[in-house]
Amino acid sequence: MKENSAFRVRQQPRLEWGAAGPLLAEASRCAGDPLPLLPILRAAPARTPVPGSGNTLALWEFLAALAAEDLTAARAVEPHLDAAAILAQAGVELPAGTTWGVFAAESSGTRLDAKPNNDGGAWLLSGTKPWCSLAAQLDHAVVTAHVEGGRRAFAVDLTQPAVTVELAEWISRGLAAVPSGPVSFQQAAGTPVGGTDWYLHRPGFAWGGIGVAACWFGGAVGLFRTLRAAATSRTPDQLALAWLGEADRLLAAGADVLAAAAGAVDDGAAGAVQAHRVRGQIAAVCSRMLEICGHALGPAPMVWDEQHARRAADLSVYIRQHHAARDDAALGAIMMEQGESEW
C-alpha cells in the first residue's frame, strides 16, 4: 500500500477544497439541521472535488469525517458533491453560488418523463419524482427521467414555477430534518446531462455509490467514539473490552475496503462489482456497530444522549439506501454474467 494511502477519518481534512473546513466546523454544531450547511456550499469555490481525479481518498475521508460529526450534514453535502461529479463527467462545471441534489430514485405509481421541446431548446419534464431530499431548500438538481429508449439525466432549476414540492408526511425519526418526498414537474425545463442511459452506465455511477458508503462509515466511526468514551469512563469489564475490540476490528476492515476502492477509482479500475462489494461490506459494519452499541451501552444513551440517539436513528435510515439481499442478488447476477470468478 502506498504511503499515506490508509483511510483515516480526520478532524482536520486533507482535502484541498476551501469549503471543507467550514463545513466540518458547521457539522460539529448543526445538531441535525442541514440548513446551515447550504450557505457554505453556495459560497464554496467553484471548482468542486470529484472522485477519479487523483484525490478520491481525501474526498471520501472528508465525507466520512463530516458524517462522524453529523450524519444529517453529510446527507446534505454528499448529493451536492455527487451532482458536481456527474456534471464534471459530462463536461459541465457546477455553477458557483448554487446548491444541488441528485434525484434518481424510482418507485411504483410515479413516473417522470422528458421530451424535447419543439423549439429545440431545453427539454420539458412532466410527472412526479419520488424521494427528492431537501427539494424545497435546494436551487438545482440532477434529475433522471424516462425518455424514448431509456432514461436520461437532466440539470433542472428547482426554483422555476413548473416545479412543485409536494406535501408529504415525513415522520422519520432518522434524518428527520431531511424530508425526502415527491416533487411534481409540469413541463419543467431541463438541460440534458449526457445521453440516453449514460447516467447509469458511466463509471462515476459506481463511484458515487461508494461515496455514500463513506458517509455510512463515518456514522459508524461516530458510534465508535461514543463506545470508546463509555469504556474509558469507568474500568471496563471483559465484555466492554470485547465489544470495543470487535468495533475497532470492524472499522479497520471497513477503512481498508474504502482505501482500496479509492485507489481503484483513481486508477480507473473501479466498477459495479467493487461498488456492490464496498457498499455491502460497509452496510454490514454499520449494522453490527449499531448492535454492539445497543448491547454495550444499554438504553441510557438512546433516551438521555441526544447526539447518540440522533446518530443511531440517522444511520439506521441512511444505510437503508443499501438494499440488503437485493443488492447482493444484483452482485450475484453480475457474477453469473461474467461467467468466471476470481475465486
Side-chain angles (χ1 to χ4, degrees):
M1 186 173 286
K2 297 178 182 178
E3 185 181 1
N4 295 325
S5 62
F7 192 95
R8 295 285 183 267
V9 180
R10 307 166 192 271
Q11 293 179 312
Q12 294 296 324
R14 58 179 179 180
L15 183 66
E16 295 182 1
W17 183 45
L23 286 169
L24 268 177
E26 188 56 53
S28 70
R29 56 179 177 260
C30 75
D33 182 0
L35 298 187
L37 284 295
L38 300 185
I40 300 175
L41 289 176
R42 289 191 180 97
R47 187 169 295 278
T48 305
V50 298
S53 58
N55 208 23
T56 303
L57 181 66
L59 173 59
W60 290 349
E61 284 180 343
F62 164 71
L63 287 174
L66 199 66
E69 293 292 342
D70 191 286
L71 279 155
T72 294
R75 186 67 185 85
V77 173
E78 184 277 325
H80 178 90
L81 295 179
D82 190 32
I86 294 165
L87 293 174
Q89 289 154 20
V92 180
E93 189 169 290
L94 185 141
T98 57
T99 54
W100 286 71
V102 179
F103 305 156
E106 301 282 343
S107 69
S108 60
T110 63
R111 182 181 172 97
L112 181 63
D113 292 291
K115 295 182 179 180
N117 196 346
N118 291 333
D119 64 8
W123 285 50
L124 299 178
L125 283 67
S126 297
T128 301
K129 196 69 175 172
W131 296 102
C132 299
S133 301
L134 292 175
Q137 286 76 39
L138 300 176
D139 307 313
H140 296 77
V142 174
V143 183
T144 59
H146 292 269
V147 299
E148 185 177 355
R151 276 192 285 169
R152 193 169 185 179
F154 297 87
V156 179
D157 181 348
L158 299 177
T159 66
Q160 60 183 297
V163 177
T164 304
V165 179
E166 298 183 9
L167 294 177
E169 190 178 7
W170 184 250
I171 63 172
S172 178
R173 299 303 184 264
L175 301 175
V178 189
S180 301
V183 172
S184 174
F185 298 81
Q186 300 174 332
Q187 298 286 288
T191 303
V193 180
T196 300
D197 287 338
W198 171 85
Y199 173 83
L200 295 172
H201 295 150
R202 64 196 165 88
F205 182 76
W207 306 347
I210 301 174
V212 173
C215 295
W216 303 339
F217 182 79
V221 170
L223 291 176
F224 176 83
R225 291 172 180 171
T226 298
L227 186 69
R228 190 177 188 282
T232 57
S233 65
R234 62 181 183 273
T235 303
D237 61 13
Q238 194 77 354
L239 283 175
L241 292 173
W243 282 318
L244 188 64
E246 181 185 356
D248 176 78
R249 173 169 53 80
L250 290 169
L251 291 181
D256 286 347
V257 165
L258 285 166
V265 167
D266 285 336
D267 291 340
V273 168
Q274 189 154 24
H276 277 298
R277 288 173 174 172
V278 173
R279 285 169 62 87
Q281 292 281 6
I282 299 303
V285 166
C286 293
S287 293
R288 180 56 183 155
M289 284 293 298
L290 286 164
E291 186 176 36
I292 288 172
C293 285
H295 292 172
L297 304 176
M302 293 298 294
V303 299
W304 300 116
D305 185 335
E306 195 272 340
Q307 184 181 47
H308 174 78
R310 185 176 66 251
R311 177 177 288 120
D314 288 348
L315 186 58
S316 296
V317 172
Y318 206 167
I319 61 172
R320 290 284 57 84
Q321 287 189 4
H322 182 258
H323 303 111
R326 295 186 185 277
D327 278 354
D328 281 341
L331 176 57
I334 296 173
M335 297 294 100
M336 295 298 291
E337 289 173 5
Q338 290 180 343
E340 295 182 1
S341 172
E342 61 191 276
W343 311 117

